[in-house]
Amino acid sequence: MRPHILVVDDDEKITSLLRRSLAFEGYEVATANNGLEGLKQMLSSDPSLLILDVMMPQVDGWEVCRRVREGGSSVPILMLTAKDDIQDRVRGLDLGADDYLVKPFALEELLARVRALLRRKPDKLEESSSRLQFEDLTLDLDSREAIRSGRRIDLTAKEFDLLQLLMQNPRRVLTRDAIMDKIWGFDYSGESNVLEVYIAMLRQKTEDGRSPRLIQTVRGTGYVLRGEGG
């Protein structure tokens, strides 16, 4: 399968040049002309490499890089900037960028850096063993931290355990009794609506009034983790 490269830059001349040149080299190429659109495409396309301009309106490259890394993605990131400043380069690397190229750049050098980044093999085993991912929601099992679209979510111990159970069984309907048994224990004798209360709190925290609902109710049965489109 051909590597898929996402180019995020508000300069149409740059995106057009890179689209043609990378496609000629045999890569699949998608482009976005601002940071917000770039983040949306990251979630939907899972690219092999991200080429990211720093100076963009609304959401700049720094912020895109930060959100991508906080969202749990290990995609290689090549940042482009018009400023040849060591502090800018250090900032990008500290945020999780893998490489840095100053504009104007030689196309041959960019293609060489793309090839080098694509040769790097991320540690997929370590990532898969310590993180759960569903759409734009990430659960870090080591730090017991939840992140959605770059936003950290503070969870109580029981909220985390409940979300972990749902994310370990995506698109699988879990009965109310099965959830109660797993999270609270078979002989739980507390309030009968405790599960409904925790589901409501999880929805409030993970949706934050903006994000689509992921925890769906299956009437008469229980709950399931799935997107609005199924």
Side-chain angles (χ1 to χ4, degrees):
M1 185 172 62
R2 294 188 299 166
H4 172 62
I5 298 176
L6 173 61
V7 179
V8 185
D9 196 315
D10 64 334
D11 187 329
E12 293 185 4
K13 292 182 179 179
I14 294 291
T15 56
S16 178
L17 170 66
L18 293 184
R19 183 193 300 111
R20 294 195 308 270
S21 301
L22 292 167
F24 183 79
E25 294 293 318
Y27 303 115
E28 291 185 6
V29 186
T31 62
N33 58 16
N34 61 71
L36 286 177
E37 180 61 30
L39 286 168
K40 291 179 182 178
Q41 290 203 38
M42 274 291 303
L43 294 174
S44 62
S45 63
D46 189 24
S48 309
L49 173 69
L50 174 61
I51 298 178
L52 179 62
D53 183 38
V54 170
M55 302 305 294
M56 292 184 292
Q58 299 179 5
V59 178
D60 62 23
W62 307 127
E63 181 65 11
V64 173
C65 183
R66 184 186 68 80
R67 294 190 192 183
V68 167
R69 289 296 182 243
E70 288 188 350
S73 174
S74 60
V75 61
I77 298 177
L78 171 60
M79 299 197 77
L80 306 177
T81 181
K83 297 174 64 177
D84 186 10
D85 191 318
I86 186 64
Q87 291 183 338
D88 281 345
R89 280 180 278 175
V90 169
R91 181 182 180 186
L93 295 171
D94 283 344
L95 286 171
D98 297 276
D99 203 353
Y100 208 96
L101 196 57
V102 177
K103 297 178 180 179
F105 51 81
L107 182 59
E108 293 80 3
E109 181 180 5
L110 181 138
L111 294 174
R113 294 187 184 223
V114 166
R115 290 192 295 269
L117 288 171
L118 289 173
R119 284 196 297 267
R120 298 181 186 178
K121 302 294 184 182
D123 191 348
K124 293 296 184 180
L125 179 61
E126 178 181 349
E127 180 180 339
S128 63
S129 64
S130 63
R131 290 177 183 268
L132 296 174
Q133 181 82 36
F134 185 81
E135 295 194 358
D136 59 344
L137 178 62
T138 302
L139 202 63
D140 190 314
L141 304 182
D142 292 335
S143 65
R144 293 183 67 83
E145 181 179 65
I147 298 172
R148 187 170 191 192
S149 297
R151 178 177 61 87
R152 281 190 171 89
I153 304 169
D154 293 324
L155 300 176
T156 66
K158 275 289 187 284
E159 287 171 350
F160 184 94
D161 292 343
L162 177 55
L163 185 57
Q164 179 180 345
L165 178 63
L166 292 167
M167 292 187 69
Q168 288 173 331
N169 297 274
R171 300 184 179 88
R172 176 184 175 189
V173 177
L174 300 178
T175 66
R176 187 181 188 281
D177 288 344
I179 297 174
M180 291 295 298
D181 183 19
K182 185 69 175 179
I183 304 300
W184 281 273
F186 183 77
D187 58 350
Y188 177 78
S189 59
E191 296 179 4
S192 61
N193 68 335
V194 63
L195 176 56
E196 288 70 24
V197 171
Y198 272 83
I199 289 290
M201 290 190 295
L202 269 182
R203 283 172 171 166
Q204 181 179 11
K205 290 183 177 182
T206 57
E207 295 166 19
D208 193 33
R210 296 168 297 191
S211 302
R213 173 159 295 180
L214 296 179
I215 303 174
Q216 309 288 343
T217 300
V218 181
R219 292 188 179 277
T221 304
Y223 300 93
V224 58
L225 186 74
R226 65 183 176 210
E228 291 187 335

